[in-house]
Amino acid sequence: MNKHLIAAALTAASLTLAGCADESTAQSAPAQQLQPIDVAQVLVKPVQSWHTYTTRLESPQEVALMPRVSGIIDSIEFKEGDVVKQGDVLFQLDDRPFAAVVASLKAQINSAEAALEQAKSEDKRAVRLLDRKAISTEQAQARTSTLRQREAQLSALQAQLTSAELDLEFTSVVSPIDGIISRANITKGNNILAGQSVLTSIVSNQSMYAYFDVDERTWNSSFNDVTAASHQTVVMQKVGQSDFAYKGYINFIDNQINSSTGTLRVRAVFNEDSNQLRAGSFARIKLAANSISDAIIIPERAIGTDLKNRFVLTVGENNVLEYKLITTGERYGALRAVTSGLNEGDVIAVNGPARVGPGMPISPQTVTIDTSGVAFTLLNDNAQLVAKH
């Protein structure tokens, strides 16, 4: 009897201890912690479609400088790479042979003028003598003919003098345009040939041209009403830059479509400081379509890739993330337009699927999508032009 009582007592004691242990474990188990995730409501912004083209900058004026007269270079009057003005003397040739020709022609003109004066005097005397029948008609005509010859000789010498004086003037080789000069291809003491020797090159630095070809379909659908007079705005990016920091406009549209390529040649002009743009530079041109429409805007980093699909994680009921397929449009800085898959008012995980996935409950931390400094349209002149692909 005592044995049964002892066994029952031990069993009751063990059950009591087990129950206490379970209660203690339940009290010490922490509640499940939800991951804090930055979320934001999608933006709706008026945007323009962008079209990007590549080109190389060209100077509106470029001169391969050649002499107008042959001779020997006496001095070089410029620093290589300097800015020069129209009319600046760049090369000075030895002008002594040309000065000698000018002096000789001036002396010949003086002699011809004296001969002309004598011929005029004799012609006048011949007229008087002919009136008194003191000279034959043939003699009078001969003196008149001599007068005409002297006049012609003087005119010829004066023309030669003008040409010689031009040659003397051309011994000073001057800049025909304002611009930046290159190096001297031929140095002091060398003989140069008129119209053949390239002394140096000069490119205008007041503005730069950018030619690019727009396909016929794009032009007809987006720019059909654009003319050169409308000064359609474009922006440009140089190699090594992340922003399209240079603003210009279209100032030339070709008069026909190239039937071989199906493209239209267009030219944009950029009026920038000479130290900013250089001829020959590779550049990317962005041209915005005239039509403006509203689009959903989200951060680029919020977009995930699943095989060939792009998706975002939206915040659903009970703060559970949901998988949403999307179609993306133009990029605007660090932001991207979404053409389908999202609606106004949707809330997304702004940092994408890096730490979370669909079906996961989260603790949402509301933030605002930063749009400062981003131009969604070219009409926003106060925004920095940083739209990029």
Side-chain angles (χ1 to χ4, degrees):
M1 181 67 181
N2 290 335
K3 292 180 179 179
H4 291 294
L5 291 173
I6 293 171
L10 291 173
T11 300
S14 63
L15 290 173
T16 301
L17 291 172
C20 291
D22 290 342
E23 183 179 353
S24 174
T25 301
Q27 289 177 353
S28 62
Q32 183 181 4
Q33 296 293 323
L34 299 180
Q35 178 134 358
I37 295 296
D38 290 341
V39 300
Q41 187 175 22
V42 299
L43 301 177
V44 178
K45 292 284 187 181
V47 298
Q48 289 173 292
S49 296
W50 299 81
H51 303 275
T52 304
Y53 304 94
T54 57
T55 183
R56 287 197 178 273
L57 298 182
E58 297 182 22
S59 173
Q61 291 181 297
E62 184 173 349
V63 175
L65 190 64
M66 292 185 286
R68 296 189 180 187
V69 294
S70 300
I72 296 176
I73 297 177
D74 198 39
S75 64
I76 297 174
E77 305 293 334
F78 66 93
K79 275 189 176 181
E80 298 177 328
D82 269 3
V83 175
V84 296
K85 297 294 184 181
Q86 182 177 354
D88 287 353
V89 176
L90 305 178
F91 293 85
Q92 182 61 55
L93 307 185
D94 184 0
D95 63 357
R96 290 173 297 177
F98 302 93
V101 172
V102 169
S104 174
L105 287 169
K106 286 182 177 180
Q108 293 179 52
I109 286 175
N110 289 335
S111 176
E113 287 175 342
L116 177 61
E117 289 299 321
Q118 182 180 358
K120 287 180 178 179
S121 176
E122 290 181 355
D123 182 66
K124 289 179 181 179
R125 288 178 57 200
V127 171
R128 292 195 302 269
L129 292 173
L130 185 62
D131 290 339
R132 294 196 302 244
K133 306 296 184 179
I135 190 174
S136 67
T137 303
E138 290 79 4
Q139 290 177 316
Q141 289 177 344
R143 293 187 182 186
T144 301
S145 177
T146 301
L147 173 62
R148 299 291 178 263
Q149 291 176 15
R150 297 290 183 263
E151 289 174 341
Q153 289 173 359
L154 180 59
S155 295
L157 289 171
Q158 287 174 334
Q160 292 178 39
L161 177 61
T162 299
S163 177
E165 287 175 338
L166 282 175
D167 287 345
L168 178 60
E169 180 183 339
F170 292 154
T171 59
S172 296
V173 182
V174 301
S175 176
I177 61 171
D178 295 345
I180 300 177
I181 195 167
S182 183
R183 67 182 183 87
N185 297 327
I186 304 176
T187 55
K188 178 180 177 180
N190 285 288
N191 188 52
I192 56 176
L193 300 177
Q196 297 184 34
S197 304
V198 179
L199 301 176
T200 187
S201 62
I202 308 169
V203 294
S204 172
N205 63 331
Q206 299 303 311
S207 59
M208 285 293 161
Y209 286 160
Y211 289 90
F212 55 97
D213 297 319
V214 182
D215 66 275
E216 185 176 1
R217 181 185 298 275
T218 298
W219 185 266
N220 292 338
S221 62
S222 300
F223 308 106
N224 197 46
D225 59 341
V226 173
T227 66
S230 61
H231 285 186
Q232 180 81 6
T233 303
V234 300
V235 291
M236 182 182 67
Q237 173 195 62
K238 295 193 299 184
V239 171
Q241 295 181 331
S242 59
D243 299 343
F244 286 76
Y246 302 98
K247 190 173 181 179
Y249 61 88
I250 292 175
N251 72 336
F252 165 77
I253 301 170
D254 210 347
N255 58 3
Q256 60 182 340
I257 300 289
N258 187 323
S259 58
S260 300
T261 62
T263 58
L264 180 67
R265 175 56 60 93
V266 177
R267 182 181 71 198
V269 60
F270 296 87
N271 299 312
E272 301 290 343
D273 184 85
S274 60
N275 294 324
Q276 297 293 317
L277 301 179
R278 291 184 180 274
S281 297
F282 181 84
R284 297 173 70 204
I285 302 293
K286 272 188 173 291
L287 180 61
N290 286 336
S291 59
I292 299 177
S293 58
D294 289 339
I296 300 291
I297 301 294
I298 64 174
E300 181 79 24
R301 68 179 185 274
I303 302 173
T305 303
D306 182 8
L307 297 179
K308 294 183 179 180
N309 300 319
R310 291 191 173 188
F311 69 92
V312 295
L313 298 176
T314 60
V315 181
E317 293 184 5
N318 300 320
N319 294 328
V320 175
L321 295 178
E322 298 177 356
Y323 179 95
K324 283 283 186 74
L325 285 175
I326 62 170
T327 304
T328 58
E330 299 285 342
R331 183 176 177 182
Y332 302 93
L335 307 177
R336 175 78 73 168
V338 175
T339 58
S340 66
L342 291 176
N343 298 310
E344 185 175 358
D346 284 346
V347 178
I348 62 170
V350 295
N351 293 315
R355 295 186 299 159
V356 290
M360 179 181 295
I362 62 168
S363 173
Q365 309 291 319
T366 303
V367 297
T368 302
I369 298 175
D370 184 16
T371 62
S372 59
V374 178
F376 295 100
T377 70
L378 283 178
L379 301 179
N380 184 4
D381 291 332
N382 294 324
Q384 186 182 3
L385 299 169
V386 297
K388 52 194 175 186
H389 286 304

